Amino acid sequence: QQGVNTNANKKKVNNPSSAKLSTSDNNQANVRNIVSGLQPESAGEYAWSPDGTWLAYVSLFQDTDFEVIYAWNTKTNERVRITPPSSNSRSPAFSPDGLFLYYFNDAQFSSGSNSPYGSRGSEPVYEDGENLYCLPLREGLACPFF
């Protein structure tokens, strides 16, 4: 039976020159390419779900140049974008029970001025800092801290 095992004998292969995220067995045989085209500065930000079924990782969204979080299913080879490509998301982490995905995001907008023109005023700007977000991974769950 073939699958991804997340125990200590498995290794993440990250080659910055080719910017790929791959998995392999102990002998570096059976290398599975998960994603290519990663930006070297974000290629190391990833997290395995506790059951080893999902890998959440940060990758650059090419159309907007924002860092977004994707999840890759090891059983189906499905890739799902988790965060929107309109802000930067970082540091994905699964809760120990695998019911929640936590991450940081810099989507804090404000208006540059108090324009009397309302929505026709100045463009929104990003504020400094990031917020912690929680994504429930099962229907009907609510994040315990928010």
Side-chain angles (χ1 to χ4, degrees), residues 110-123:
S110 69
S111 177
S113 68
N114 293 328
S115 173
Y117 305 107
S119 63
R120 291 176 179 34
S122 64
E123 295 292 322

Side-chain angles (χ1 to χ4, degrees), residues 67-127:
E67 292 178 326
V68 297
I69 296 175
Y70 290 91
W72 172 66
N73 187 308
T74 61
K75 295 179 181 177
T76 66
N77 210 31
E78 174 187 16
R79 183 178 122 157
V80 178
R81 183 171 44 85
I82 302 295
T83 59
S86 57
S87 58
N88 290 303
S89 298
R90 295 183 186 83
S91 306
F94 286 93
S95 61
D97 57 11
L99 297 177
F100 302 95
L101 178 67
Y102 296 97
Y103 61 93
F104 287 98
N105 185 283
D106 66 3
Q108 296 183 48
F109 301 103
S110 69
S111 177
S113 68
N114 293 328
S115 173
Y117 305 107
S119 63
R120 291 176 179 34
S122 64
E123 295 292 322
V125 295
Y126 283 100
E127 295 286 331

Side-chain angles (χ1 to χ4, degrees), residues 31-50:
V31 174
R32 267 175 98 178
N33 185 35
I34 297 169
V35 66
S36 60
L38 290 173
Q39 296 297 314
E41 61 272 9
S42 67
E45 290 192 38
Y46 67 94
W48 286 102
S49 64

Side-chain angles (χ1 to χ4, degrees), residues 6 8 22 24 31 55 86 117-119 139 142:
T6 59
S22 305
S24 72
V31 174
L55 175 70
S86 57
Y117 305 107
S119 63
E139 193 172 324

